[in-house]
């Protein structure tokens, strides 16, 4: 679940009332705003979910006093890879650099994952890897991608239950644009997804909106 951080006017008002008068019941907040309890319910739910307010049965709402940064950190700890990952685009390690370039254009991705004959992760191909191979005098249609890819065990990976914030950290640390989401088995890693800087940007936007 993603939490709205930016508050509307009415939510700001509610926050102010609870700050000054809490603990206060929903009924009393509604009275002060000349609104019905039912009208306020969604706003109170958002403020509670986002961590600004806490509610106790028969006591009412009170202000948690958490800062925006604290709340942002708490909410970031709720975002997981599995909720934001994309479909991986995979090529076999025997395909040519030429075919990999065509695949990258057709599939409209910036990173390809390379798998071996057992469909296990063997390497990664970025745009620059393919460009670098293209500026030599080599015949791209006979040059296999496994010569130029970044290979295992040097591939940075993640799993579906990892936190998005940890993936962001790894992308920045390793200076890469994407990583495969993998499922380990006894022989290696199966590629099940793809996480890119675009996925992270989408998560960032979702935090600021209400979706
Ligand atoms: P580009 O090279 O197009 O700017 P990247 O920054 O993602 O794209 O890639 C930089 C280098 O890091 C490339 O050589 C690429 O093979 C390698 N690389 C990309 N993704 C990974 C990854 N998940 N793990 C290890 N190496 C990677």
């Amino acid at each position: 679940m993603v939490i709205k951080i930016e508050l509307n006017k009415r939510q700001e008002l509610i926050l102010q009332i609870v700050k000054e008068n809490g603990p206060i019941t929903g009924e009393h907040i509604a009275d002060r705003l000349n609104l019905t309890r039912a009208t306020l319910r969604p706003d109170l739910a958002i403020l509670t979910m986002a961590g600004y307010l806490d509610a106790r049965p028969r006591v009412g709402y009170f202000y948690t006093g958490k800062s925006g940064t604290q709340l942002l950190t708490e909410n970031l700890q709720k975002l997981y890879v599995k909720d934001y990952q994309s479909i991986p685009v995979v090529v076999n390690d025997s395909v040519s650099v030429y075919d990999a370039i065509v695949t990258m254009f057709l599939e409209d991705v910036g990173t390809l994952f390379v798998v071996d004959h057992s469909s296990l992760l063997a390497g990664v191909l970025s745009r620059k890897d393919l460009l670098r191979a293209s500026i030599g005098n080599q015949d791209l249609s006979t040059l296999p991608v496994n010569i130029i890819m970044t290979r295992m065990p040097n591939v940075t990976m993640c799993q579906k239950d990892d936190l998005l914030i940890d993936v962001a950290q790894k992308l920045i640390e390793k200076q890469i644009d994407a990583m495969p989401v993998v499922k380990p088995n006894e022989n290696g890693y199966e590629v099940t997804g793809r996480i890119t800087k675009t996925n992270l940007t989408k998560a960032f936007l979702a935090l600021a909106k209400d979706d």
Side-chain angles (χ1 to χ4, degrees):
M1 182 178 40
V2 174
I3 306 303
K4 178 172 176 171
I5 296 293
E6 204 179 289
L7 302 180
N8 66 29
K9 272 229 172 65
R10 187 194 283 160
Q11 289 159 359
E12 294 283 4
L13 268 176
I14 295 171
L15 209 53
Q16 199 56 39
I17 291 171
V18 178
K19 244 189 223 179
E20 288 165 7
N21 306 283
I24 177 169
T25 63
E27 205 94 355
H28 283 124
I29 302 171
D31 282 349
R32 282 172 179 266
L33 291 170
N34 273 327
L35 294 167
T36 67
R37 177 81 182 83
T39 315
L40 275 196
R41 197 162 288 133
D43 290 321
L44 286 171
I46 285 168
L47 289 169
T48 309
M49 275 196 300
Y52 288 101
L53 299 183
D54 219 336
R56 295 236 176 88
R58 281 184 294 280
V59 177
Y61 293 89
F62 57 93
Y63 183 60
T64 59
K66 286 176 181 160
S67 71
T69 313
Q70 267 175 306
L71 293 173
L72 182 61
T73 308
E74 282 177 18
N75 286 325
L76 278 171
Q77 305 288 342
K78 296 175 191 159
L79 305 184
Y80 290 94
V81 165
K82 57 174 173 285
D83 300 319
Y84 289 92
Q85 68 185 30
S86 302
I87 294 166
V89 178
V90 168
V91 295
N92 200 275
D93 60 0
S94 58
V95 305
S96 68
V97 169
Y98 182 92
D99 286 338
I101 292 172
V102 171
T103 303
M104 190 172 269
F105 274 99
L106 289 178
E107 301 283 348
D108 195 17
V109 290
T111 308
L112 298 174
F113 303 127
V114 183
V115 294
D116 63 17
H117 56 280
S118 336
S119 296
L120 296 173
L121 181 63
V124 175
L125 286 169
S126 76
R127 284 181 270 229
K128 238 179 285 159
D129 293 330
L130 297 172
L131 279 174
R132 196 183 300 115
S134 308
I135 54 179
N137 283 325
Q138 311 162 85
D139 179 2
L140 299 183
S141 56
T142 57
L143 180 65
V145 288
N146 62 21
I147 305 289
I148 67 150
M149 68 189 186
T150 298
R151 65 191 60 254
M152 289 292 278
N154 298 321
V155 176
T156 304
M157 319 171 271
C158 65
Q159 295 189 31
K160 69 174 172 41
D161 293 321
D162 289 348
L163 281 171
L164 226 44
I165 188 80
D166 294 334
V167 168
Q169 181 72 39
K170 278 193 202 172
L171 288 182
I172 295 298
E173 254 169 37
K174 307 278 182 181
Q175 302 189 346
I176 52 178
D177 292 345
M179 66 176 83
V181 183
V182 298
K183 193 170 157 220
N185 66 28
E186 57 278 15
N187 300 312
Y189 298 92
E190 201 184 310
V191 181
T192 60
R194 171 170 66 99
I195 281 277
T196 68
K197 288 180 175 172
T198 304
N199 299 119
L200 293 176
T201 308
K202 282 184 180 158
F204 180 70
L205 267 184
L207 268 181
K209 287 187 188 159
D210 190 16
D211 46 323

